[in-house]
Amino acid sequence: MSSPATTVGNVASDFANAILGIFDALAQALQQYAPILVEVAITVGLVSGLGYALSRIPMVRRFLGWIGL
């Protein structure tokens, strides 16, 4: 029969391995989808920046107000 300290150590080791497994799975998924995520982030940044810049133009602001935005 194993001592209580050994049992606690085994449980802690199993828990740590489970946590490391989760992070490993996340790292693999991120590595697989990183190029797509970067492209999406760049596209969203460009579109939102362009939208903000256009919304600062008075004629565009009047049009946006006219259509209810």
Side-chain angles (χ1 to χ4, degrees):
M1 184 169 184
S2 61
S3 69
T6 304
T7 303
V8 170
N10 290 341
V11 170
S13 176
D14 290 345
F15 182 73
N17 286 334
I19 297 294
L20 290 175
I22 291 170
F23 280 117
D24 186 45
L26 285 173
Q28 287 178 1
L30 187 60
Q31 186 175 14
Q32 182 178 355
Y33 295 111
I36 297 168
L37 293 174
V38 168
E39 287 183 24
V40 168
I42 290 171
T43 304
V44 167
L46 289 174
V47 169
S48 66
L50 180 63
Y52 175 75
L54 287 174
S55 73
R56 305 307 300 158
I57 300 171
M59 191 169 79
V60 174
R61 291 184 75 139
R62 280 194 297 273
F63 174 73
L64 291 175
W66 180 69
I67 63 172
L69 295 175

